[in-house]
Amino acid sequence: MLRRLRPPQRPIRLAVVGLPGSGKTTQARWLSIEFGIPCVSLREEVAALAKTDSLLGDALRVHISAPVWQPLPDELALVVVTESIVDLDSWILEGFPRNREQAIAVLERLATVVHLDISAELSMQRMVGRARDPEDPATVSQRQDVERGRFADLLAYCREEFRVIEVDGSLQEDVVTKTILDALCGGRR
């Protein structure tokens, strides 16, 4: 489907953001394959580190096992992401940053943000209908309530500080990927 592009001549430092269910993981993985650079998924890094016997692992396990969903505290998210990208020249962040404070913390390293824009209704539909790990509608609704205000603030900040590529995340997966690649590569692929 995709063909791998030549290795980047300069570092690619990209974040893929959007509401839950917007396709962040899917698109970040396609871009990782296309450019041949690592994709750092906050959710996957948290899951892996939570299995370690460390202070960070202990803190992540406590957060994950909480009876009610809460966003990962900024200080934990920043440690997880920083440890994941510290030795990398190029990377794609998936699911990070999630708010203005996290974006400020990576300001010096981040260059481009891809915003996968979908409606709250489509977010709910996709999250509840996931084949793997479907979420309870009440949990999704709670996540949306928490994330909506934080996300609007994040986007406003990103639009001031970074190059933001706005993409309609409700389109077919391959159309979304092509739109992102065309924007990143200036139509030259």
Side-chain angles (χ1 to χ4, degrees):
M1 179 157 136
L2 292 175
R3 61 178 170 64
R4 189 162 171 199
L5 296 174
R6 289 177 302 173
Q9 294 180 353
R10 63 177 193 262
I12 294 176
R13 295 177 178 165
L14 175 72
V16 181
V17 302
L19 289 176
S22 62
K24 296 179 297 290
T25 302
T26 300
Q27 294 303 322
R29 286 183 178 155
W30 277 123
L31 294 170
S32 173
I33 292 166
E34 186 78 10
F35 290 110
I37 61 175
C39 172
V40 177
S41 166
L42 179 60
R43 180 179 50 229
E44 291 173 5
E45 294 295 318
V46 166
L49 288 168
K51 295 176 183 173
T52 64
D53 186 22
S54 65
L55 291 175
L56 179 58
D58 293 344
L60 292 170
R61 280 190 299 281
V62 167
H63 177 77
I64 290 170
S65 64
V68 177
W69 179 88
Q70 289 292 317
L72 188 64
D74 289 346
E75 54 276 2
L76 285 178
L78 289 169
V79 169
V80 169
V81 169
T82 302
E83 285 190 11
S84 300
I85 66 173
V86 70
D87 294 326
L88 301 174
D89 288 328
S90 292
W91 36 258
I92 297 168
L93 296 177
E94 182 269 311
F96 185 92
R98 290 188 177 215
N99 60 42
R100 177 185 291 258
E101 291 73 25
Q102 292 175 0
I104 290 169
V106 295
L107 178 63
E108 297 299 316
R109 300 211 54 200
L110 185 60
T112 304
V113 173
V114 174
H115 171 221
L116 301 176
D117 189 22
I118 63 169
S119 68
E121 293 79 22
L122 182 56
S123 171
M124 173 71 78
Q125 184 181 39
R126 287 181 175 177
M127 295 298 292
V128 172
R130 282 186 170 166
R132 285 184 309 164
D133 302 323
E135 293 198 31
D136 172 65
T139 302
V140 173
S141 181
Q142 178 191 6
R143 282 182 65 186
Q144 286 180 334
D145 290 345
V146 170
E147 298 289 346
R148 195 172 290 122
R150 291 169 39 142
F151 193 69
D153 189 45
L154 167 67
L155 275 180
Y157 177 76
C158 287
R159 288 177 179 131
E160 293 171 9
E161 298 295 333
F162 308 109
R163 174 183 178 210
V164 176
I165 298 170
E166 303 276 356
V167 181
D168 182 350
S170 69
L171 299 174
Q172 286 186 284
E173 181 181 311
D174 60 331
V175 174
V176 172
T177 305
K178 182 183 181 321
T179 303
I180 295 168
L181 289 170
D182 287 349
L184 287 171
C185 300
R188 300 178 311 269
R189 293 195 306 134

Short mmCIF file of all heavy atoms in Angstrom, two decimals, residues 21 37 43 45 75 85 91 114 119 132 148:
data_model
loop_
_atom_site.label_atom_id
_atom_site.label_comp_id
_atom_site.label_asym_id
_atom_site.label_seq_id
_atom_site.Cartn_x
_atom_site.Cartn_y
_atom_site.Cartn_z
N GLY A 21 -10.05 7.85 19.42
CA GLY A 21 -10.70 7.23 18.27
C GLY A 21 -10.49 7.95 16.95
O GLY A 21 -11.06 7.57 15.94
N ILE A 37 11.10 5.53 10.67
CA ILE A 37 11.51 6.10 11.96
C ILE A 37 10.60 5.57 13.06
O ILE A 37 9.49 5.14 12.80
CB ILE A 37 11.52 7.65 11.95
CG1 ILE A 37 10.12 8.21 11.66
CG2 ILE A 37 12.54 8.16 10.93
CD1 ILE A 37 10.04 9.72 11.74
N ARG A 43 0.55 5.40 25.12
CA ARG A 43 -0.20 4.29 25.72
C ARG A 43 0.66 3.02 25.79
O ARG A 43 0.70 2.34 26.81
CB ARG A 43 -1.48 4.05 24.92
CG ARG A 43 -2.32 2.91 25.46
CD ARG A 43 -3.61 2.69 24.67
NE ARG A 43 -3.36 2.60 23.25
CZ ARG A 43 -4.04 3.29 22.31
NH1 ARG A 43 -4.99 4.11 22.65
NH2 ARG A 43 -3.75 3.14 21.04
N GLU A 45 4.01 2.79 25.61
CA GLU A 45 5.17 2.98 26.49
C GLU A 45 4.76 2.86 27.95
O GLU A 45 5.47 2.26 28.75
CB GLU A 45 5.81 4.35 26.23
CG GLU A 45 6.44 4.49 24.86
CD GLU A 45 7.62 3.58 24.63
OE1 GLU A 45 8.46 3.42 25.54
OE2 GLU A 45 7.73 3.02 23.52
N GLU A 75 3.51 15.00 34.86
CA GLU A 75 4.87 14.65 35.26
C GLU A 75 5.20 13.21 34.86
O GLU A 75 6.32 12.93 34.42
CB GLU A 75 5.12 14.89 36.75
CG GLU A 75 4.16 14.23 37.71
CD GLU A 75 2.86 14.99 37.96
OE1 GLU A 75 2.64 16.06 37.37
OE2 GLU A 75 2.06 14.49 38.76
N ILE A 85 12.36 9.15 23.82
CA ILE A 85 12.92 9.85 22.66
C ILE A 85 14.31 10.43 22.89
O ILE A 85 14.92 10.95 21.96
CB ILE A 85 11.98 10.98 22.16
CG1 ILE A 85 11.86 12.11 23.19
CG2 ILE A 85 10.63 10.42 21.76
CD1 ILE A 85 11.10 13.33 22.71
N TRP A 91 11.47 10.93 15.24
CA TRP A 91 10.43 10.15 15.91
C TRP A 91 9.06 10.71 15.58
O TRP A 91 8.92 11.84 15.12
CB TRP A 91 10.61 10.12 17.42
CG TRP A 91 11.13 11.38 18.05
CD1 TRP A 91 12.41 11.59 18.46
CD2 TRP A 91 10.43 12.60 18.32
NE1 TRP A 91 12.53 12.87 18.98
CE2 TRP A 91 11.33 13.50 18.91
CE3 TRP A 91 9.11 13.02 18.14
CZ2 TRP A 91 10.99 14.79 19.31
CZ3 TRP A 91 8.76 14.30 18.53
CH2 TRP A 91 9.69 15.17 19.12
N VAL A 114 0.33 16.88 13.63
CA VAL A 114 -0.76 16.46 12.75
C VAL A 114 -2.00 16.34 13.62
O VAL A 114 -2.01 15.56 14.58
CB VAL A 114 -0.46 15.11 12.05
CG1 VAL A 114 -1.68 14.63 11.27
CG2 VAL A 114 0.76 15.23 11.14
N SER A 119 -15.48 14.51 15.00
CA SER A 119 -16.51 15.01 15.92
C SER A 119 -16.53 14.16 17.19
O SER A 119 -16.06 13.01 17.21
CB SER A 119 -17.88 14.94 15.24
OG SER A 119 -18.25 13.58 15.04
N ARG A 132 -10.76 -4.41 19.30
CA ARG A 132 -9.90 -4.73 20.44
C ARG A 132 -10.14 -3.69 21.50
O ARG A 132 -10.17 -2.50 21.22
CB ARG A 132 -8.43 -4.72 20.04
CG ARG A 132 -8.00 -5.92 19.23
CD ARG A 132 -6.53 -5.86 18.98
NE ARG A 132 -6.13 -4.58 18.44
CZ ARG A 132 -4.89 -4.14 18.41
NH1 ARG A 132 -3.94 -4.86 18.90
NH2 ARG A 132 -4.61 -2.97 17.88
N ARG A 148 -11.84 17.31 26.25
CA ARG A 148 -12.32 18.34 25.32
C ARG A 148 -11.70 19.71 25.61
O ARG A 148 -11.15 20.34 24.71
CB ARG A 148 -13.84 18.41 25.36
CG ARG A 148 -14.43 19.17 24.20
CD ARG A 148 -15.94 19.07 24.14
NE ARG A 148 -16.34 17.72 23.78
CZ ARG A 148 -17.13 16.94 24.51
NH1 ARG A 148 -17.62 17.38 25.64
NH2 ARG A 148 -17.44 15.74 24.12
#
